[in-house]
């Protein structure tokens, strides 16, 4: 299981890459493995400002639909539109081409509440 050390994580299995005042968000390798083949990614919150832990979209796999929770408060400024035609990128490259949204962070202190790679590995038993 791939858990990069340069990312932050949530207990809901989202990963976060901080780049200045922007956070790139996706789901972890563990999460995509648990979900199975992803067939659809929906984000209807583009250009909206949401609070931490609010649902920003869903990921649909063959057998289930899972809510996506915002790891940091802020405005959703980008959606990875390539996922509309190739949702399987979330399975094949969850930390690269399978990213889901970009968020303009409104409260940078919330970053401290995210999990480190070591804490996430402990959470998932890796």
């Amino acid at each position: 299981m791939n858990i990069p050390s340069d990312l932050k994580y949530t207990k809901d299995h989202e990963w976060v890459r901080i780049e200045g005042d922007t956070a790139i968000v996706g789901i972890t390798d563990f999460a995509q493995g648990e979900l199975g083949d992803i067939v659809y990614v929906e984000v209807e919150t583009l250009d909206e400002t949401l609070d931490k832990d609010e649902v920003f979209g869903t990921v649909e796999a063959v057998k289930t639909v899972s809510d996506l929770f915002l790891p940091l408060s802020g405005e959703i400024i980008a959606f990875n539109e390539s996922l509309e035609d190739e949702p399987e990128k979330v399975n094949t490259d969850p930390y690269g081409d399978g990213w889901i949204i970009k968020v303009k962070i409104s409260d940078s202190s919330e970053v401290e509440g995210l999990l480190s790679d070591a804490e996430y590995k402990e959470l998932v038993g890796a």
Side-chain angles (χ1 to χ4, degrees):
M1 182 182 341
N2 185 10
I3 302 175
S5 61
D6 62 330
L7 303 177
K8 296 290 191 179
Y9 299 89
T10 71
K11 291 182 173 131
D12 295 311
H13 309 290
E14 283 90 18
W15 60 261
V16 182
R17 178 179 294 117
I18 306 295
E19 295 182 351
D21 65 350
T22 302
I24 301 168
V25 179
I27 66 169
T28 64
D29 189 32
F30 174 84
Q32 69 80 21
E34 292 291 303
L35 287 167
D37 292 337
I38 293 171
V39 295
Y40 189 66
V41 178
E42 181 176 53
V43 173
E44 293 185 347
T45 52
L46 189 62
D47 300 324
E48 291 183 24
T49 299
L50 302 175
D51 290 329
K52 179 181 184 295
D53 297 329
E54 282 195 79
V55 174
F56 71 83
T58 57
V59 173
E60 183 176 336
V62 174
K63 297 179 184 172
T64 188
V65 175
S66 183
D67 286 336
L68 298 167
F69 298 96
L70 196 63
L72 300 164
S73 300
E75 179 185 356
I76 298 174
I77 57 173
F79 167 61
N80 184 353
E81 293 181 3
S82 72
L83 299 180
E84 291 178 349
D85 295 325
E86 299 177 89
E88 65 275 6
K89 285 181 178 181
V90 176
N91 291 116
T92 59
D93 191 10
Y95 302 114
D97 290 340
W99 66 274
I100 298 174
I101 60 166
K102 292 184 181 180
V103 180
K104 183 167 179 55
I105 301 168
S106 60
D107 183 355
S108 59
S109 70
E110 291 177 348
V111 174
E112 300 304 315
L114 298 172
L115 303 175
S116 68
D117 60 312
E119 291 167 322
Y120 186 72
K121 284 177 184 173
E122 188 174 317
L123 177 73
V124 298

